[in-house]
Amino acid sequence: MGILKNWHQQHSENLSFGSRLADKVASNMGSWRFIIIQTIIVVIWMALNFVAFVSHWDPYPFILLNLLFSTQAAYAAPIIMMAQNRQNERDRMNAEADYKTNIQAKEEIEALTLKLNSMEVDKLDKIIRMLEELEKK
């Protein structure tokens, strides 16, 4: 007998390498760690170019740095969009799973309600019979 997997585990296992990579890149790019590391790199880049004694490989206004940021943004935007699309798909699957669970719970509650009503009617019938028997005596 295999282990039952929920919808999230099934969805995660069915992701392609590219999808997993896009999710990982998007989660890293959307973190404070990434922002802090990138800020440190930019400050070092600018400082080295300001104080370079021999050669400024990217003099002010830092055209090469600007090109690197543009390239990063050109790749980051679609990767983040892919990750967001998958998040929307996960949210939709989660909503469907919740809906199915709610329907099952509703059916079980209705069945329990019918059973409790039946038991209550049986008890009332028994009480009425007992009262009738008492009246006859």
Side-chain angles (χ1 to χ4, degrees):
M1 184 164 93
I3 298 173
L4 293 177
K5 296 179 182 174
N6 64 24
W7 67 269
H8 182 70
Q9 290 167 329
Q10 291 172 349
H11 176 74
S12 296
E13 289 176 357
N14 292 332
L15 289 177
S16 67
F17 171 75
S19 296
R20 286 192 303 273
L21 180 63
D23 286 345
K24 190 72 173 167
V25 168
S27 68
N28 286 332
M29 290 185 86
S31 69
W32 278 108
R33 180 177 181 255
F34 176 81
I35 291 171
I36 291 167
I37 290 171
Q38 185 166 344
T39 302
I40 291 169
I41 290 171
V42 169
V43 167
I44 291 171
W45 181 289
M46 293 167 75
L48 288 175
N49 276 286
F50 270 131
V51 296
F53 293 110
V54 178
S55 171
H56 298 274
W57 72 89
D58 189 20
Y60 183 82
F62 309 114
I63 306 278
L64 182 58
L65 181 62
N66 198 0
L67 177 64
L68 291 173
F69 279 142
S70 297
T71 304
Q72 178 188 29
Y75 282 99
I79 289 172
I80 291 169
M81 292 295 290
M82 288 188 291
Q84 286 177 334
N85 288 340
R86 267 187 305 291
Q87 182 61 47
N88 289 340
E89 182 182 337
R90 283 189 293 264
D91 290 345
R92 182 186 53 75
M93 291 173 69
N94 190 14
E96 285 179 18
D98 287 346
Y99 177 74
K100 288 176 183 176
T101 301
N102 289 342
I103 293 296
Q104 290 173 342
K106 179 183 175 230
E107 290 171 354
E108 289 177 11
I109 290 170
E110 287 173 349
L112 284 172
T113 302
L114 289 174
K115 181 70 175 171
L116 288 173
N117 286 343
S118 170
M119 289 171 57
E120 200 162 306
V121 167
D122 289 344
K123 285 181 183 178
L124 288 173
D125 287 344
K126 187 175 181 181
I127 291 171
I128 290 172
R129 276 194 307 272
M130 289 172 62
L131 288 174
E132 288 175 349
E133 286 176 11
L134 282 176
E135 282 182 0
K136 289 180 184 176
K137 292 183 183 180

